[in-house]
Structure formats: C-alpha cells, structure tokens
Amino acid sequence: MIFGHKTDIEKLLPYVSEDLQKALKYLAATDFTKVPNGRYELDGEKMYANVDTYTTEDSGKKKPEAHNKYIDVQYLGKGTEKIYFAPRTADVKVVEDYAAERDLLFFENIAEKDSVVLNAGNFAVLFPWELHRPGCKADGTPSDVQKIVVKIAVK
C-alpha cells in the first residue's frame, strides 16, 4: 500500500508507473466538491474513477475485499474513514465472488493488524495482493464521506 496526501502527490510522481502518475495527477487537479457521484472514464476500461458518498460503519459490517484486475487508488474528498488492510494469502477464503462481473471478491472475516485513517485529501493505493476493508468508522463515530476510487487496470 502507498499512503499520502494530495499536497504530496508531486513528490511521489517520479517513483511510480505512468498509469499511477495519471491517476494521482487526476486526483491532484480535480476539485471534487464540484463532481457529482458517478463513474468517470479517464482511459476507458483501462482507468476510470468512481465518485460516491456514504456514511462509514462499524468494521464488523464490512467485509475484506480484493480485486484481480485493478489497482485501487482510494481518495477521500470529505470526511474521515478507516481502511483495514492485510496481505492476500492463499489460506484466506473467498465468501462472495463477483470477479467475472465486477472484479470484486469478498473474503472471510480476518483479524487485520494494520489500518490507515483517511481524512479529506488523503489517498491510499491498494494492490491486488492486498485485502482491504474500506468504509469503516475511524473513531467510533459515523462520518459522511465522499470517496473517489480510481481503478487502474493491471497489465
């Protein structure tokens, strides 16, 4: 996982792939207060952004997830959210498989040891080898968030 703030994107760019550069530049350049919920194509199916608003929940109501075909760049436009994460290992069992339709797999509950808190302006890059449980309350209190997820196709 890569974690950072919108103000630090420029420093990160020389160290990441061209596709990740494009996604991060999009996040840095866009005023998401003016972007309604929806899907926005940045490069067809190769790269697109989903903008959504929701309220964070207890982690027990969220399932660990992963993707096979896309890297997630999760960015918070507003609010506060905790994302738990862990390595995707062979012993973790899939409990819901939507890989063919939506490139989404849900996994059995695991005890993640690591987490990151995203506040407005923070982003996390999550790779296919990482389980993640987004949308969780950060401090025990629900938060209304605007989440932007840029999906980057894995080559």
Side-chain angles (χ1 to χ4, degrees):
M1 187 215 327
I2 300 171
F3 173 78
H5 190 273
K6 184 176 186 172
T7 57
D8 295 323
I9 287 175
E10 197 64 37
K11 290 185 263 184
L12 181 62
L13 294 178
Y15 304 100
V16 299
S17 70
E18 288 181 26
D19 287 339
L20 186 49
Q21 285 180 20
K22 183 175 181 174
L24 292 170
K25 286 178 182 178
Y26 168 74
L27 294 175
T30 305
D31 178 0
F32 288 101
T33 63
K34 299 176 180 166
V35 179
N37 289 349
R39 178 180 161 138
Y40 299 89
E41 291 193 6
L42 306 177
D43 192 1
E45 287 299 308
K46 183 178 175 185
M47 185 182 308
Y48 60 91
N50 289 320
V51 178
D52 195 17
T53 52
Y54 55 86
T55 303
T56 58
E57 298 181 292
D58 290 325
S59 61
K61 293 184 177 181
K62 304 302 230 173
K63 296 176 189 157
E65 65 182 63
H67 315 284
N68 294 328
K69 298 178 186 176
Y70 287 92
I71 295 167
D72 272 5
V73 183
Q74 299 198 12
Y75 174 81
L76 224 54
K78 75 170 190 173
T80 301
E81 173 179 310
K82 184 178 258 189
I83 299 175
Y84 294 90
F85 62 96
R88 181 177 173 182
T89 57
D91 62 325
V92 182
K93 295 186 179 18
V94 174
V95 294
E96 295 178 49
D97 185 342
Y98 305 103
E101 314 89 59
R102 302 183 346 208
D103 188 40
L104 177 62
L105 298 159
F106 288 112
F107 292 80
E108 66 187 355
N109 254 344
I110 59 169
E112 300 100 329
K113 296 177 187 171
D114 297 309
S115 65
V116 63
V117 174
L118 272 63
N119 292 296
N122 286 128
F123 66 88
V125 181
L126 296 148
F127 297 91
W129 60 82
E130 295 172 305
L131 297 176
H132 51 285
R133 189 189 308 244
C136 300
K137 295 180 194 176
D139 58 6
T141 306
S143 178
D144 293 329
V145 300
Q146 180 196 41
K147 169 72 85 61
I148 296 85
V149 179
V150 178
K151 307 289 276 184
I152 304 170
V154 178
K155 295 180 182 178

